[in-house]
């Protein structure tokens, strides 16, 4: 048994309000895609050069610690507060010998 009103829906074009709504949704979708592409393309690259990055155990599994530039030099100079992973990261970046 066919669905009620199916023949009418198939054999008649969309109403102008329906076409307008579909057109607006299409334009909004296209604009969202363009904005997303522009955001991804213009996002600045994140450099880890000169940064000391290591993981430490935390209450919820772990935390990533990241020090760059002068903060990395200062952190690596304080030898008594570093875990082994931090010392290895400092050595990799050349702050410790």
């Amino acid at each position: 048994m066919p669905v009620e009103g199916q023949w009418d829906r198939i054999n008649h074009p969309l109403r102008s309000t329906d076409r307008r709504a579909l057109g607006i949704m299409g334009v909004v979708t296209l604009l969202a895609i363009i904005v997303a592409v522009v955001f991804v393309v213009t996002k600045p690259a994140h450099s880890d050069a000169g940064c000391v990055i290591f993981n430490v155990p935390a209450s919820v599994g772990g935390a990533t610690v990241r020090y760059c530039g002068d903060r990395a030099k200062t952190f690596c100079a304080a030898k008594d507060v570093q875990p082994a992973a931090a010392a290895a990261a400092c050595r990799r970046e050349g702050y410790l010998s």
Side-chain angles (χ1 to χ4, degrees):
M1 171 156 222
V3 178
E4 184 176 333
Q6 183 176 1
W7 188 88
D8 287 335
R9 284 192 299 273
I10 292 173
N11 293 309
H12 290 95
L14 290 174
R15 295 181 301 209
S16 63
T17 55
D18 294 336
R19 282 192 300 251
R20 192 175 304 127
L22 286 173
I24 290 170
M25 287 191 299
V27 169
V28 168
T29 302
L30 182 63
L31 287 174
I33 290 171
I34 290 171
V35 167
V37 168
V38 168
F39 178 75
V40 168
V41 169
T42 61
K43 184 177 176 184
H46 187 66
S47 174
D48 287 335
C51 295
V52 175
I53 304 168
F54 58 94
N55 295 321
V56 294
S59 60
V60 205
T64 301
V65 179
R66 184 174 194 268
Y67 295 111
C68 295
D70 291 335
R71 289 186 68 201
K73 290 177 186 175
T74 304
F75 175 78
C76 291
K79 296 177 182 175
D80 53 336
V81 295
Q82 298 178 18
C90 287
R91 229 175 277 110
R92 254 192 325 271
E93 289 300 321
Y95 293 124
L96 291 178
S97 46

